[in-house]
Amino acid sequence: MKDFNGKVVVITGAGSGIGRATAIAFAREGAKLHIADIVEEGINSAVEEIKQMGGKAYPYVVDVSDREAMEKFANNVFEAAGRVDVLHNNAGIGLSCAVHEVSLEDWERIINVNLWGPIYGMHFFVPRMIEQGGGHVINTSSAAGLTAVPTLSAYVTTKFALVGLSEAMSIELQRHGIHTTALGPGIINTPLIESTPTNIVDRDGKSLKDSAVKFYAEKGAGPEVVAKDVLKAVREKSPVKPSPPFHVYPLWLIKRFMGQKVKVDAAPEVKVYAAGHEPSAHIEIAKSLQVVVEENPTHMYGGFSRYINETLAGAGEIGLKISSMLGFPEDQVKRYTIYAAKFEPACYDNLLGLAKMYISFGRMEEAKETLEQIINGDPAVLKYIESENRLNQKEARKIYDENFK
């Protein structure tokens, strides 16, 4: 499915966040939207926004965990539209709590919404999509459905289940002309973060909810990024779609193709989610990767070298060492590091690591070039983590003066 003009698209959880952004993205392509949410005000607002841009959208207030409500929703959509070309089971809730502290009531609630909701969607929509000759189903899982995250055990359970369901559907339904995508959003700044019940504390007993919200606000991509990937996944018939890829691929691919050797420091403040950005996470992944490479020196990694290189780039000098072991071009790793530094301020740490590595091997021209990039840093980048990067600049100037003046 390449052209969405005139196609009928159904999205649950479309009153805000990823669902709303995806509805708007499809509307811009000329699709006819039938969108649902449990919050009436949110779904009406989304429909109004789509209509103001000249699109067609119809609102439904639906609790996806209610079997009868989902059956009625499907009946109403098919009665009104006659068919469904794209079904996006997106509605979901979060829960952050130690596994042994999750109540049975919370287990039931999150499973009912996050798992039974998509099951009901599949059950009441897909048979009719088979009869009409095909379509596409997207199930919103999570990066936490591809790589487990501590303190999100109940959420992880539902999202892993969704990936399994989606992969099985992808295999089974292709002969009916139906393709299925498991969507794996990474660090996305949506209302879900603030609405997620959080019962995790630091060593002093202080709640980490505010720090988690701040983390997502500062590091998270916007839901429109995921919406763009949804449309791309439908066009490309992708069975699994991490979004954005740089948030998700490093941990997931290393885990998926190299077994359970990866050990990343996953503190309650959700550091593990930062695998695509945080230098500490890059380095921990790189160290684990080094062990794998040393134990499996003949293993071929070319199929996903781009994503491994992004991780190695973030690991600085450790990354370059492993890059050499893997046989990847060193300049490619350096290029990714420089590229990443333009978008992620913390990557200036990585550039400093590269400069030190170059000096240690006597490659002074490259060291000078790298240090100058830090010293002459882009003000637009520096402002995000100014205090940290000013220290990086100060150290870079000191090293520059010691070696080039």
Side-chain angles (χ1 to χ4, degrees), residues 45-155:
S45 172
V47 166
E48 184 60 29
E49 182 175 356
I50 291 171
K51 288 182 176 179
Q52 286 180 358
M53 34 183 290
K56 295 181 179 180
Y58 307 90
Y60 301 80
V61 178
V62 179
D63 177 356
V64 298
S65 69
D66 185 324
R67 180 194 301 186
E68 293 182 358
M70 283 295 286
E71 182 177 17
K72 182 179 179 180
F73 176 42
N75 290 339
N76 289 340
V77 170
F78 277 99
E79 182 179 347
R83 63 180 292 113
V84 170
D85 298 293
V86 177
L87 168 65
H88 186 179
N89 292 308
N90 173 72
I93 59 174
L95 176 64
S96 181
C97 183
V99 63
H100 61 283
E101 295 176 351
V102 181
S103 70
L104 290 178
E105 290 76 17
D106 282 335
W107 274 109
E108 290 173 353
R109 180 170 177 265
I110 199 167
I111 290 173
N112 286 341
V113 174
N114 290 7
L115 186 54
W116 274 111
I119 290 173
Y120 292 146
M122 182 271 297
H123 181 80
F124 292 120
F125 281 88
V126 169
R128 290 184 240 193
M129 294 171 71
I130 292 175
E131 290 176 5
Q132 73 189 21
H136 199 111
V137 179
I138 305 110
N139 293 321
T140 298
S141 178
S142 168
L146 298 169
T147 303
V149 180
T151 75
L152 293 176
S153 53
Y155 183 76

Side-chain angles (χ1 to χ4, degrees), residues 94-362:
L95 176 64
S96 181
C97 183
V99 63
H100 61 283
E101 295 176 351
V102 181
S103 70
L104 290 178
E105 290 76 17
D106 282 335
W107 274 109
E108 290 173 353
R109 180 170 177 265
I110 199 167
I111 290 173
N112 286 341
V113 174
N114 290 7
L115 186 54
W116 274 111
I119 290 173
Y120 292 146
M122 182 271 297
H123 181 80
F124 292 120
F125 281 88
V126 169
R128 290 184 240 193
M129 294 171 71
I130 292 175
E131 290 176 5
Q132 73 189 21
H136 199 111
V137 179
I138 305 110
N139 293 321
T140 298
S141 178
S142 168
L146 298 169
T147 303
V149 180
T151 75
L152 293 176
S153 53
Y155 183 76
V156 164
T157 298
T158 61
K159 295 304 183 177
F160 262 77
L162 264 188
V163 172
L165 172 63
S166 301
E167 290 185 342
M169 289 173 62
S170 181
I171 297 168
E172 288 186 34
L173 298 177
Q174 282 190 43
R175 66 189 180 93
H176 298 292
I178 295 176
H179 299 276
T180 307
T181 298
L183 179 66
I187 311 165
I188 313 300
N189 186 24
T190 72
L192 177 65
I193 308 307
E194 290 208 44
S195 66
T196 294
T198 303
N199 187 27
I200 50 174
V201 297
D202 60 18
R203 292 189 179 95
D204 298 323
K206 181 182 177 181
S207 173
L208 290 169
K209 174 66 177 277
D210 289 343
S211 62
V213 171
K214 181 181 178 182
F215 175 83
Y216 272 79
E218 293 179 350
K219 298 290 186 181
E224 64 280 355
V225 173
V226 182
K228 182 179 179 180
D229 281 337
V230 170
L231 272 63
K232 185 177 181 181
V234 176
R235 287 192 168 108
E236 297 179 351
K237 302 175 183 177
S238 306
V240 180
K241 189 65 175 178
S243 177
F246 196 55
H247 285 192
V248 185
Y249 269 117
L251 269 180
W252 177 50
L253 287 173
I254 292 170
K255 170 196 167 184
R256 190 174 179 99
F257 291 100
M258 303 179 191
Q260 299 295 331
K261 297 178 182 292
V262 179
K263 295 181 180 179
V264 178
D265 176 23
E269 52 268 40
V270 293
K271 284 183 181 177
V272 69
Y273 255 143
H277 288 301
E278 294 295 315
S280 61
H282 278 297
I283 291 169
E284 289 302 317
I285 295 170
K287 287 178 179 177
S288 298
L289 178 57
Q290 182 176 358
V291 172
V292 175
V293 174
E294 288 172 346
E295 293 180 0
N296 303 275
T298 61
H299 198 89
M300 299 299 293
Y301 300 96
F304 52 97
S305 61
R306 170 190 168 193
Y307 305 108
I308 296 298
N309 266 311
E310 289 175 346
T311 299
L312 298 181
E317 52 192 294
I318 296 175
L320 282 179
K321 176 182 177 182
I322 301 169
S323 173
S324 177
M325 294 168 63
L326 288 171
F328 293 157
E330 184 177 300
D331 63 340
Q332 184 179 3
V333 179
K334 180 184 176 185
R335 187 168 66 253
Y336 273 121
T337 302
I338 293 172
Y339 174 80
K342 295 178 181 178
F343 297 95
E344 174 50 56
C347 284
Y348 277 3
D349 286 334
N350 305 326
L351 288 179
L352 199 58
L354 287 175
K356 292 176 180 177
M357 186 281 298
Y358 287 138
I359 291 172
S360 70
F361 288 114

Side-chain angles (χ1 to χ4, degrees), residues 386-402:
E386 184 169 7
S387 59
E388 178 181 331
N389 283 319
R390 293 299 178 195
L391 291 174
N392 289 333
Q393 284 189 317
K394 183 177 180 181
E395 184 174 356
R397 286 193 185 94
K398 179 181 178 182
I399 297 172
Y400 187 92
D401 291 344
E402 289 173 351

